[in-house]
Amino acid sequence: MADVRVSDGVVTLSPLCLDDLEAHLAGEDEELVRWLNGGPGTREGTEAYIRECTRNWAAGGPLLAFGVRLEAEGALAGTIDLRFEVKARGRVSLAYGLYPAFRGRGIATRSVHLACGYAAARGAGLAEIKVEPANTASVAVARRSGFTFTGRTKDEDGTELDRYARDL
């Protein structure tokens, strides 16, 4: 596993690992299922996902999943994923989600700033967040993190997504 730790003294990002499995499953709620996961997590599916994340860390990407942790509490508060684009070098996509007890405290915004700094250090020049327009909390995080609206697109299943971008 990669020995990566990015922190601002309040929030720390470090690679998602199997030790996070129980906390991740316990933190999942309807909002994470709706906006981020695409369906309720199972122990087997979540463990397989974390194992895949571990392989990606060992290989250097393209998907690098961080656990979002609070320094003071030592608790896993959520996740933030960076997907470095293979076809469009220099571009990274971010996806994030916090567990209910940690929302509304600025943790997601701090996490996005930290992730952008990490991505820039890895050579990314542009970060992108794609979000369903109705996900107002995620839209607000993107805007507070310095991202600007760049247009609307549809994903593979036809879901409309607003794109937000930020130069790194």
Side-chain angles (χ1 to χ4, degrees), residues 18-130:
L18 284 175
D19 290 345
D20 297 323
L21 179 64
E22 295 301 326
H24 184 70
L25 288 170
E28 185 178 78
D29 71 340
E30 289 181 22
E31 286 189 45
L32 281 177
V33 169
R34 178 177 181 196
W35 301 121
L36 188 62
N37 300 348
T42 64
R43 173 172 290 292
E44 297 77 20
T46 303
E47 184 175 333
Y49 171 72
I50 293 174
R51 287 187 189 284
E52 180 61 27
C53 291
T54 301
R55 286 189 287 277
N56 270 275
W57 275 106
L63 171 66
L64 300 179
F66 284 102
V68 175
R69 304 165 203 288
L70 296 184
E71 287 284 333
E73 298 173 37
L76 182 68
T79 63
I80 186 164
D81 298 349
L82 286 75
R83 185 173 300 276
F84 290 85
E85 300 292 330
V86 175
K87 294 179 183 174
R89 291 236 177 250
R91 175 180 263 164
V92 63
S93 296
L94 279 70
Y96 44 85
L98 295 180
Y99 310 132
F102 301 99
R103 294 181 188 141
R105 296 166 47 183
I107 297 166
T109 302
R110 286 175 173 273
S111 299
V112 170
H113 283 300
L114 289 168
C116 285
Y118 177 79
R122 294 236 356 206
L126 181 73
E128 184 174 65
I129 295 171
K130 294 179 186 172

Side-chain angles (χ1 to χ4, degrees), residues 6 90 104:
V6 183

Side-chain angles (χ1 to χ4, degrees), residues 126-144:
L126 181 73
E128 184 174 65
I129 295 171
K130 294 179 186 172
V131 60
E132 289 184 49
N135 187 348
T136 56
S138 191
V139 168
V141 168
R143 290 184 173 153
R144 279 193 307 271

